[in-house]
Amino acid sequence: MTELARTDAPAGEHDDRTGRAVPATLRRAAPALLAYTGTRLLGVVVLAIWAAATGKSWYTLLSGRWDAVWYSRIAEEGYGYTLRLPDGSVHSDLAFFPLLPWLERLVSALTPLDAAGAGLAVSWIASLFAAWGIFAIGDRLRGRRVGTALVVLWAVLPVGIVQSMAYSESLFTALAAWAVYALLTGRWVWAGSLAAAAGLTRPVGAAVIAAVWITAAASLLPAGRWRPAWRLAWRLVGRLVGRLAGREHRRMLLGVAVAPLGWLGYVVWVGVRTGSVTGYLDVQSGWRNGFDGGVAFARFTWDLLAGPGFAAGLAMLTGVALLIWVFIRCVRRRDPLPLLVYAGVVLALALTAKGYFGSKPRLLLPAFPILLPLAAALARLRTARAVLILGSVGLASAAYGAFWLTGTGPP
C-alpha cells in the first residue's frame, strides 16, 4: 500500500506529500480502473447493439433523455424553465443542482461538443474518478484485492448504466468518494471542499456534509466520552476550545465550516429566487417529490403486494431488507465512521423519499460503502473464480441496463 494510503499523519503533513503520492496511487489503482473501464464499455456496447436492434440511438439514450435533457437545457439557457403537466404537477428546473450544467457549459465552450455531449463527457470522466476514489477507500481499509472488487461491484450494479449517462450520479459519487477518503486520511480542508462541491451536485450532498460534521465531532470528543451529553456539557466547551487551538484542529474547523456552503448556497438561492424560505421544498413538491419518512414508499410497496404486482412488491421488500441487513453488517464490522455516516444518510434519504419509486435503485447508486462486505468476500476467493462471478454479473448487468434504458429507463 502506498504511503498516501497508510499514513496517519496530521492534515498538514499529508498535503506536503500529495503531489508525489498521487502518481503512485494511480499506478496502484490502474488494474481496478482498467476492469472498471472494461465493464462500463461492455455495458455501452451491449446498449448500442440493443438500441440498433430497436431502431434507437445509443448516444441519445445516454445523453438526451429525462434528467439529461433538463441539465443540458440549464447549461444552454440558464435556470427559468417550468413545465406544467395536465395532472397539475409543476416541474421547475430549479429542482436540479447546478454543478453538472456548469461543467457542461464549460466543456461545450472549450470543445466542439454541445451541452448534451459535454454532459456525457463529464459523466464518463467523473465515473473514472469515482472508481478511483472507491478503490482508494477499499484499498486503504482492506487491501488491493478488496479495493478492486469494490470498484467492479459498483460497476456491475443492475443500474450501473446510469454511470455512463449524462446524469449527475457519477459526478456526485466521485466527489463523495474522495471526500470520504480525505476524512479517512485526515485531510479536513479537502474533505470540506469536496463536500461543498458534492452539495452543489445533488440534494443528497447532505450525506457528505453529515459525514464531515459527525466525524469531526467524534474526533473532538475524548475517547470513551460518548456518555449522556448532560454529564459532559459543563466541561465540553472548554475542552473543545483547547483542542481547536492546535493547527490540525483549525484545519478541521475550516473543513467543517466549508462543507455545507455548496448545498446551503443553492438552497438559499432558490429560496431568494422563488421568494420563499421553503422555496426548494416547494419546487420538489411540484415534482410530487420530497421526504415523508418512507410512508409513501411503504404504501406503494403494500399496494404491489396486495395486487397483481405481488412479485414486484416482494422483490422490492426483499431488496430493502437486504440493504438494511448489509448496512447493519457494516456497522457490526466497525467500518470507519465516515463511511457509515455517509452510506447511512444516503440510504435513509433514498428510502424515505416519496414519488418516483422506480428511481430508488438509481438514488442508491452512490451508496458504494455498503458493498464492502461483499467485496471482502469476493477478495477471499481465487482470482479465476472471482473473475468468473464478476464477469457473469457484469454481462447480466449490461443486458439489463440495455433492456431498461431502451424501455422505461431511469425516471
Side-chain angles (χ1 to χ4, degrees):
M1 197 175 297
T2 64
E3 182 178 357
L4 177 64
R6 285 188 286 105
T7 181
D8 293 317
E13 296 179 25
H14 283 298
D15 296 340
D16 294 338
R17 291 193 291 267
T18 298
R20 296 193 300 272
V22 166
T25 306
L26 184 56
R27 285 195 299 271
R28 185 173 178 82
L33 295 181
L34 287 173
Y36 176 80
T37 302
T39 303
R40 293 296 352 119
L41 283 177
L42 174 65
V44 173
V45 169
V46 171
L47 173 65
I49 296 171
W50 203 303
T54 57
K56 298 179 180 179
S57 165
W58 68 270
Y59 179 82
T60 301
L61 290 172
L62 292 177
S63 66
R65 298 185 75 184
W66 299 290
D67 289 8
V69 175
W70 289 87
Y71 283 122
S72 60
R73 182 185 290 116
I74 295 169
E76 293 170 341
E77 304 173 8
Y79 285 99
Y81 180 78
T82 299
L83 179 64
R84 299 181 183 275
L85 301 183
D87 65 358
S89 300
V90 179
H91 290 183
S92 168
D93 58 9
L94 293 173
F96 297 90
F97 277 53
L99 186 56
L100 178 57
W102 284 350
L103 292 176
E104 288 180 353
R105 180 178 298 181
L106 176 63
V107 172
S108 61
L110 298 176
T111 68
L113 296 172
D114 61 7
L120 199 57
V122 169
S123 182
W124 284 17
I125 294 171
S127 70
L128 288 173
F129 277 95
W132 185 10
I134 292 170
F135 169 82
I137 291 172
D139 184 25
R140 178 179 177 82
L141 298 179
R142 300 280 188 265
R144 192 176 190 178
R145 286 176 63 88
V146 172
T148 301
L150 185 62
V151 167
V152 180
L153 279 172
W154 188 64
V156 302
L157 288 173
V159 293
I161 190 66
V162 174
Q163 299 165 20
S164 301
M165 296 179 67
Y167 270 44
S168 60
E169 274 76 8
S170 290
L171 177 60
F172 173 79
T173 304
L175 295 167
W178 284 109
V180 170
Y181 183 79
L183 289 174
L184 293 175
T185 55
R187 295 172 173 83
W188 289 101
V189 177
W190 272 108
S193 301
L194 290 165
L200 281 171
T201 308
R202 295 185 61 80
V204 74
V208 190
I209 299 168
V212 173
W213 282 6
I214 294 177
T215 302
S219 65
L220 287 173
L221 285 176
R225 295 289 189 176
W226 287 100
R227 289 180 288 185
W230 62 270
R231 295 183 181 179
L232 292 172
W234 67 274
R235 72 174 84 172
L236 186 56
V237 173
R239 189 181 294 271
L240 292 183
V241 169
R243 284 175 170 258
L244 290 172
R247 180 171 181 264
E248 180 183 354
H249 291 96
R250 289 199 300 270
R251 296 177 68 83
M252 179 191 298
L253 186 60
L254 179 58
V256 167
V258 169
L261 295 184
W263 187 92
L264 188 61
Y266 182 68
V267 170
V268 170
W269 180 79
V270 172
V272 172
R273 187 178 176 102
T274 58
S276 171
V277 175
T278 59
Y280 187 75
L281 295 178
D282 297 338
V283 168
Q284 287 286 355
S285 179
W287 281 79
R288 305 289 175 90
N289 209 345
F291 300 94
D292 63 355
V295 174
F297 184 42
R299 185 181 300 116
F300 174 76
T301 305
W302 174 254
D303 289 343
L304 288 176
L305 291 170
F310 175 80
L314 184 60
M316 188 172 295
L317 193 62
T318 302
V320 171
L322 182 61
L323 285 172
I324 295 173
W325 177 76
V326 172
F327 180 70
I328 292 173
R329 283 288 306 275
C330 292
V331 174
R332 288 180 174 176
R333 282 160 36 109
R334 296 185 179 180
D335 284 346
L337 184 62
L339 286 173
L340 295 177
V341 173
Y342 167 72
V345 175
V346 171
L347 288 176
L349 292 178
L351 296 178
T352 60
K354 63 180 180 180
Y356 297 98
F357 301 112
S359 66
K360 295 290 185 186
R362 177 171 66 85
L363 297 178
L364 289 165
L365 195 61
F368 64 87
I370 65 174
L371 297 173
L372 264 171
L374 185 54
L378 282 170
R380 290 192 291 268
L381 301 177
R382 292 182 177 179
T383 300
R385 181 173 297 181
V387 169
L388 178 62
I389 292 173
L390 290 173
S392 301
V393 175
L395 186 59
S397 173
Y400 177 75
F403 169 76
W404 185 52
L405 198 53
T406 53
T408 56

